[in-house]
């Protein structure tokens, strides 16, 4: 029922989206139960990149009120076109500092923080607007060069540097697992993020906020939940397949982590 056939069709109507969302929530619940977790601990972020506004209206009507985008310009356009709807926008892709202002204006969270340059740029804009922003620190747990994120060893020092940017409200850590069918390898990425979180909590409990773990996508969210995820970022399992990525736009097969 969950499966590839269903994923290969493109949902359009409110009913279609209601079914997709119910299916993903069921799968989340089963994964949580498998390891004795309560699925209410896990938030579903619907990744709406490349999905046009008319379909997004139906997805929102079906209950998806938190949407994730990886490109700032596309997010800004949708934020404007869909301003009449109740939507919280998450930016989940790598950010160039010249887009920090837009993110400060439209986003309710930023999940790909991995440099003090971006932290500084965001903080300056946020201070000017008098608002805060929920952020997740992105860590590269797969050692794949195409992926953004801090190397694990740099996390403790980075957390301490973030103290200087008081508008940034650290929620925890984010990662993309290795792009492979090897389940053990995928799990090891998730486990690494969890260990990084646990160690940071031990050494700097005041710097990690609630210590959330944003991990898991359409292909691996059940594994991520088994390994402790508190936010899954699910695109294709809700919206159907995306148009084939152009390589310069999406550097890796999963890619999608460029925000500029
Ligand atoms: C595109 C994207 C996702 C969702 O991927 P799906 O395979 O569509 O579920 C999750 N996280 C990030 C950072 C992305 O860019």
């Amino acid at each position: 029922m969950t499966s590839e056939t269903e994923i290969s069709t493109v949902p359009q109507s409110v009913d279609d989206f209601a079914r997709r969302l119910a299916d993903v929530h069921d799968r989340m619940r089963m994964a949580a139960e498998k390891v004795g977790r309560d699925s209410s601990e896990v938030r579903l972020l619907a990744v709406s990149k490349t999905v046009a506004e008319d379909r997004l209206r139906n997805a929102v009507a079906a209950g998806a009120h938190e949407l994730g985008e990886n490109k700032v310009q596309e997010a800004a356009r949708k934020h404007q076109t869909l301003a009449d709807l109740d939507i919280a926008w998450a930016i989940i892709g790598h950010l160039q500092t010249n887009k920090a202002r837009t993110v400060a204006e439209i986003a309710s969270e930023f999940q790909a923080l991995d440099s003090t340059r971006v932290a500084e740029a965001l903080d300056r804009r946020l201070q000017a607007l008098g608002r805060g922003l929920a952020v997740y620190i992105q860590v590269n747990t797969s050692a794949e060069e195409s992926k953004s994120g801090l190397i694990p060893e740099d996390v403790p020092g980075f957390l301490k540097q973030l103290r200087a940017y008081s508008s940034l409200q650290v929620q925890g850590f984010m990662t993309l697992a290795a792009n492979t069918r090897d389940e053990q390898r995928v799990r090891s990425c998730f486990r690494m993020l969890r260990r990084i979180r646990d160690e940071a909590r031990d050494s700097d409990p005041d710097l990690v906020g609630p210590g959330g773990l944003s991990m898991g996508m359409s292909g691996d969210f059940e594994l991520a939940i088994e390994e402790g995820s508190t936010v899954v970022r699910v695109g294709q399992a809700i919206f159907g397949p995306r148009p084939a990525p152009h390589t310069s736009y999406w550097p890796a097969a999963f890619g999608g982590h460029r925000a500029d």
Side-chain angles (χ1 to χ4, degrees):
M1 254 182 28
T2 58
S3 57
E4 326 254 328
T5 35
E6 226 192 272
I7 281 181
S8 67
T9 64
V10 176
Q12 300 284 352
S13 68
V14 177
D15 278 356
D16 292 344
F17 282 114
R19 271 194 297 273
R20 285 297 179 101
L21 289 165
D23 181 51
V24 170
H25 278 295
D26 280 350
R27 291 168 59 187
M28 289 171 64
R29 189 174 37 72
M30 286 186 290
E33 278 170 6
K34 199 166 156 190
V35 293
R37 298 184 65 199
D38 185 333
S39 65
S40 66
E41 298 165 17
V42 190
R43 183 158 66 95
L44 173 61
L45 179 64
V47 176
S48 53
K49 64 191 186 198
T50 78
V51 179
E53 282 90 332
D54 54 339
R55 292 178 63 226
L56 287 184
R57 286 193 174 274
N58 290 344
V60 174
H65 293 279
E66 294 183 58
L67 300 182
E69 291 282 339
N70 69 330
K71 299 177 91 196
V72 175
Q73 248 150 355
E74 183 177 343
R77 186 194 79 215
K78 291 174 178 175
H79 176 266
Q80 192 168 34
T81 331
L82 302 175
D84 56 313
L85 301 182
D86 170 23
I87 302 171
W89 294 96
I91 300 296
I92 60 174
H94 179 75
L95 184 66
Q96 301 286 318
T97 51
N98 62 359
K99 301 279 177 14
R101 178 186 190 152
T102 308
V103 173
E105 285 169 355
I106 68 167
S108 63
E109 66 184 303
F110 175 56
Q111 291 212 355
L113 186 61
D114 65 358
S115 78
T116 48
R117 281 184 64 232
V118 168
E120 201 274 332
L122 279 172
D123 185 62
R124 193 156 44 86
R125 299 301 187 178
L126 289 160
Q127 300 287 358
L129 294 167
R131 62 173 296 225
L133 181 67
V135 297
Y136 287 75
I137 296 159
Q138 185 173 355
V139 183
N140 184 345
T141 54
S142 67
E144 285 173 10
E145 268 188 38
S146 60
K147 290 193 167 65
S148 305
L150 295 172
I151 61 168
E153 295 72 37
D154 288 347
V155 170
F158 186 71
L159 275 172
K160 291 182 177 68
Q161 288 177 310
L162 284 188
R163 269 191 225 274
Y165 309 114
S166 61
S167 66
L168 303 180
Q169 300 153 356
V170 177
Q171 302 298 302
F173 301 93
M174 179 274 224
T175 202
L176 288 94
N179 185 8
T180 168
R181 288 175 184 277
D182 177 350
E183 196 179 300
Q184 284 314 314
R185 178 113 205 279
V186 170
R187 277 189 197 274
S188 75
C189 295
F190 296 147
R191 281 183 191 152
M192 185 185 294
L193 195 71
R194 180 175 179 159
R195 198 179 63 238
I196 287 166
R197 189 270 317 269
D198 291 349
E199 287 172 6
R201 240 186 204 163
D202 284 348
S203 56
D204 300 286
D206 55 319
L207 299 182
V208 294
L213 296 174
S214 174
M215 54 190 201
M217 315 181 10
S218 293
D220 58 20
F221 70 84
E222 284 130 317
L223 294 181
I225 290 170
E226 288 177 38
E227 299 297 343
S229 173
T230 63
V231 189
V232 290
R233 310 178 307 270
V234 178
Q236 299 178 82
I238 297 170
F239 294 104
R242 282 185 293 273
H246 186 279
T247 48
S248 68
Y249 174 100
W250 259 327
F254 258 17
H257 42 276
R258 292 179 62 91
D260 41 335

